[in-house]
Amino acid sequence: MSDKRRPEVFVSVDVEADGPIPGVYSMLSFGAVAYAEDGTLIDTFTCNLETLPAATYSAETMKWWNLPQNKAAYLATRENQQTPDRAMHTFTTWLKALPGTPVFVGYPAGFDFLFIYWYLIYFTGDSPFSFSALDIKTYACAMLKTPYRQTTKKTMPKEWFSKKPHTHIALDDAIEQGELFMAMRKANLAQ
């Protein structure tokens, strides 16, 4: 009997924004990395967005962006901007062309998915991810059998992590967290 299940494609997504919630504030940039079930990198997607016309920015978030260690990453989000409408339609086309069902993967998924889902629904009326996301921290909590609040990157096995730095450039961070998730998944499936 053949398996007619469409494979899952794990899409690690990282969002950079100028505030804590979409609509009131804007998504500045996002990066996505698609992985096959076996961990093979399929493709990447990244985009910088124009801010929403009626949105404002969070003074607290902008204070953080203006720290010396974050300033270059913020400036990178302001290069080659696209309208949110164009960006989300192009992203939807990219997601639908992947060789399987896209599964949103984030760290923290509660932040990144909130922005991506809102933008997808608002600008395209559709979410190829449906309305669910896989949170890396929750996955680690279940694997390690540790309390959720005590499950942090510092308490996770070092072999799960790549040597890539966390740059706050969306595509870089999507790759970093995607590699983390795929290493965790491989360890989990080996148990």
Side-chain angles (χ1 to χ4, degrees):
M1 181 180 230
S2 66
D3 181 10
K4 295 189 182 203
R5 177 185 69 90
R6 190 165 186 228
E8 292 181 324
V9 175
F10 298 101
V11 183
S12 171
V13 179
D14 184 73
V15 165
E16 303 300 339
D18 64 8
I21 59 172
V24 176
Y25 307 106
S26 299
M27 179 165 57
L28 303 174
S29 180
F30 69 97
V33 185
Y35 294 92
E37 290 177 333
D38 68 0
T40 303
L41 191 146
I42 298 169
D43 200 5
T44 65
F45 184 96
T46 191
C47 186
N48 293 335
L49 293 86
E50 295 174 0
T51 57
L52 298 168
T56 186
Y57 60 86
S58 160
E60 184 177 330
T61 302
M62 293 313 294
K63 184 178 174 184
W64 181 87
W65 275 121
N66 281 311
L67 293 172
Q69 66 269 29
N70 301 330
K71 203 164 202 131
Y74 175 77
L75 293 174
T77 71
R78 304 298 73 215
E79 297 173 357
N80 304 315
Q81 298 171 36
Q82 294 183 24
T83 65
D85 182 67
R86 179 176 178 215
M88 300 322 287
H89 277 91
T90 304
F91 185 48
T92 297
T93 299
W94 181 81
L95 288 168
K96 289 181 176 182
L98 293 173
T101 303
V103 175
F104 186 102
V105 178
Y107 194 120
F111 178 81
D112 298 304
F113 186 72
L114 178 69
F115 274 89
I116 293 293
Y117 185 76
W118 188 95
Y119 271 70
L120 283 169
I121 296 302
Y122 189 85
F123 290 104
T124 74
D126 183 34
S127 172
F129 296 115
S130 186
F131 50 85
S132 60
L134 194 157
D135 180 62
I136 294 172
K137 179 175 175 157
T138 304
Y139 195 78
C141 171
M143 284 182 67
L144 298 172
K145 298 174 179 51
T146 54
Y148 181 78
R149 295 280 183 204
Q150 293 176 21
T151 306
T152 64
K153 289 182 179 180
K154 291 179 183 176
T155 64
M156 295 177 194
K158 291 188 184 344
E159 61 268 16
W160 288 358
F161 295 90
S162 71
K163 302 291 186 220
K164 291 185 173 56
H166 194 77
T167 65
H168 298 294
I169 293 175
L171 184 57
D172 292 349
D173 293 353
I175 292 169
E176 176 203 12
Q177 75 183 19
E179 289 178 357
L180 168 62
F181 173 72
M182 295 314 297
M184 292 169 61
R185 186 171 186 276
K186 181 179 179 182
N188 192 37
L189 292 174
Q191 293 180 3

